[in-house]
Amino acid sequence: QRYSQKMIDKSALMPGVSRREVWAWSAFDFANSGYTTVVLTAVFNAYFVSVVAADAPWATFLWTLIIAVSNAVGIFVMPVVGAIADASAQKKRWLFGATVICILGTAGLAFCGPGTIVLAAVMVILSNLGYNVGETLNSAFLPEIARPEAVGKVSGWGWSFGYCGGLVTLGASLALVQLGGSWGLTMDERIAGTMLITALVFAVAAAPIFLFLKERAQPRASSLGALKSADGLWTLAGQSFREICSTLKSLGRFRDFAWLSLCGFLYQSGIAVVITLSAVYAAEVMGFTTVDTLMLVFLVNITAAVGAFGFGYLQDRIGHKRALGITLIVWVLMIVLAAMAVNRPVFWTAANLAGLAMGSSQSAGRAIVAILSPKTRSAEFFSFWNMALWLAAIVGPLAYGSVTWITNNDHRLAICVTGLFFAAAVLALIPVNLERGRRVAEETDAASRGTTSDH
């Protein structure tokens, strides 16, 4: 902890923000990275397809459908949570609730086995919803702790530390899977154990953000009364949906944020496929076992941590837009290699390219949102951004799953279709003008302060 805090450059932080707070904020990325790595990427997705759903022709499509439902629920829930969190300045309280839901849902997956499709679906939907809401609220703290010129660097700290969390959780899971046989554990029992390990690491690593990070946002006086009654909450919820609709209508004014959201939707559609289906692709196309996949994802997480950390500094130096564009080109190259791979070295190269681009592209996207978001509406804008990403998490995997279902499990064609999302994202990034978008955000904040002062 002390070593990691010393690595944090104090000059990158907003006045009054301590290194310990930034470390605590990054620790949440450490916590939730284990969930995505073990549950969605390396273990439970392949286990669901091969064991829970008995490798049926529709198993991959059903997995993508479950992920789609969980993200669809998030699309409706997050705008309300974001609006209430902004109005009450209680992001940490809502973050705590989302964290508990994710941990309990992950632990519930330990009770899944052959034929428990309904139980598995419910636990995945709950845990993924908790993860998504928590990730959004955690990201909304970024403009409060990082100086505008250093958001890429600070965002990169979080993503790189997050991948370290994925390594810890995955390493413990790998040890259990490899050694569990000598302890007399069946493979089903070992898989269940990995779910409990993931839940435990999440709980321990998430604790610092609730203990040390300060809530610096100020509550909106006009909305505080609505938070004191059930009717008021419903009223505020309705207002939040109207606010999101208003944001949609005003995207002409925030056109750089609009283009960024489209770009994020496109590349996140591809990333969602990699996260939720890479283990399935490795097993079905390359013949990987569970241990093979765990080893692959473990090493890819090291590459991802290096990529997120290094690109965090690079994007502040060469520009966030250019850095994001580079990562998108890497994604396109990764897809080409994965689709062509007929031997393991080529596939391992493609996987490590994915790791290099994974953290850096997501970190760059989060940093640009922080630049283009008015500070007085940060949770709202991050909610909108994450709505685009959740929609992508529905469209991308469903597109992949549909192709495999229609073509009798042609995973190579499905991965080629995935590459089209990354290519289109490159085109959507071109019109984004960060300086223009920053000015619009600053003008919006100035107008908001003027309105408050006049009132």
Side-chain angles (χ1 to χ4, degrees), residues 77-87 91 94 136-137 220 240 243 379-380 383:
V77 170
M78 193 57 233
V80 178
V81 173
I84 295 175
D86 269 345
K91 292 191 292 293
W94 288 91
T136 302
L137 293 172
R220 297 176 184 172
S240 70
E243 193 173 60
E380 175 196 334
S383 293

Side-chain angles (χ1 to χ4, degrees), residues 285-353:
V285 177
M286 305 303 299
F288 275 41
T289 65
T290 300
V291 173
D292 292 334
T293 302
L294 285 169
M295 286 294 298
L296 176 68
V297 177
F298 185 86
L299 293 177
V300 167
N301 266 262
I302 296 177
T303 307
V306 172
F309 187 82
F311 265 85
Y313 285 85
L314 180 65
Q315 64 183 286
D316 285 331
R317 182 181 295 264
I318 69 173
H320 303 287
K321 177 181 175 180
R322 184 176 299 173
L324 179 56
I326 292 173
T327 66
L328 295 179
I329 297 300
V330 174
W331 274 118
V332 172
L333 177 61
M334 170 265 168
I335 292 292
V336 172
L337 289 178
M340 295 174 56
V342 293
N343 56 59
R344 293 197 174 193
V346 175
F347 186 73
W348 276 72
T349 301
N352 279 281
L353 283 176

Side-chain angles (χ1 to χ4, degrees), residues 99-166:
T99 300
V100 171
I101 290 173
C102 185
I103 292 170
L104 293 179
T106 303
L109 292 173
F111 300 95
C112 297
T116 59
I117 292 176
V118 175
L119 176 62
V122 171
M123 292 300 105
V124 169
I125 289 170
L126 285 176
S127 61
N128 198 38
L129 174 64
Y131 164 79
N132 282 332
V133 173
E135 174 63 24
T136 302
L137 293 172
N138 182 56
S139 297
F141 280 103
L142 181 59
E144 297 180 15
I145 63 177
R147 293 182 183 273
E149 67 275 11
V151 289
K153 185 189 301 181
V154 177
S155 180
W157 292 342
W159 278 109
S160 59
F161 195 35
Y163 284 111
C164 293

Side-chain angles (χ1 to χ4, degrees), residues 192-208:
T194 64
M195 298 299 104
L196 295 177
I197 288 172
T198 304
L200 178 62
V201 173
F202 200 130
V204 173

Side-chain angles (χ1 to χ4, degrees), residues 398-424:
L398 275 181
Y400 185 102
S402 298
V403 171
T404 59
W405 191 13
I406 293 171
T407 62
N408 195 25
N409 287 327
D410 188 342
H411 289 267
R412 291 191 188 275
L413 178 59
I415 203 68
C416 289
V417 171
T418 301
L420 299 178
F421 287 114
F422 292 116

Side-chain angles (χ1 to χ4, degrees), residues 210-370:
F210 304 111
L211 296 174
F212 303 124
L213 183 63
K214 297 178 182 177
E215 185 96 49
R216 289 175 168 79
Q218 296 299 315
R220 297 176 184 172
S222 59
S223 301
L224 286 178
L227 299 174
K228 297 179 180 179
S229 66
D231 290 340
L233 286 174
W234 280 112
T235 299
L236 187 59
Q239 290 176 349
S240 70
F241 278 109
R242 287 192 293 272
E243 193 173 60
I244 291 295
C245 292
S246 176
T247 304
L248 280 169
K249 293 177 181 178
S250 64
L251 283 181
R253 180 166 182 256
F254 298 102
R255 61 183 180 274
D256 297 296
F257 178 74
W259 278 111
L260 176 68
S261 296
L262 176 60
C263 176
F265 163 76
L266 291 167
Y267 77 71
Q268 191 64 31
S269 292
I271 291 176
V273 170
V274 175
I275 290 175
T276 59
L277 293 158
S278 57
V280 177
Y281 188 91
E284 299 293 328
V285 177
M286 305 303 299
F288 275 41
T289 65
T290 300
V291 173
D292 292 334
T293 302
L294 285 169
M295 286 294 298
L296 176 68
V297 177
F298 185 86
L299 293 177
V300 167
N301 266 262
I302 296 177
T303 307
V306 172
F309 187 82
F311 265 85
Y313 285 85
L314 180 65
Q315 64 183 286
D316 285 331
R317 182 181 295 264
I318 69 173
H320 303 287
K321 177 181 175 180
R322 184 176 299 173
L324 179 56
I326 292 173
T327 66
L328 295 179
I329 297 300
V330 174
W331 274 118
V332 172
L333 177 61
M334 170 265 168
I335 292 292
V336 172
L337 289 178
M340 295 174 56
V342 293
N343 56 59
R344 293 197 174 193
V346 175
F347 186 73
W348 276 72
T349 301
N352 279 281
L353 283 176
L356 182 65
M358 179 84 69
S360 53
S361 57
Q362 293 178 308
S363 172
R366 180 166 68 177
I368 296 175
V369 174

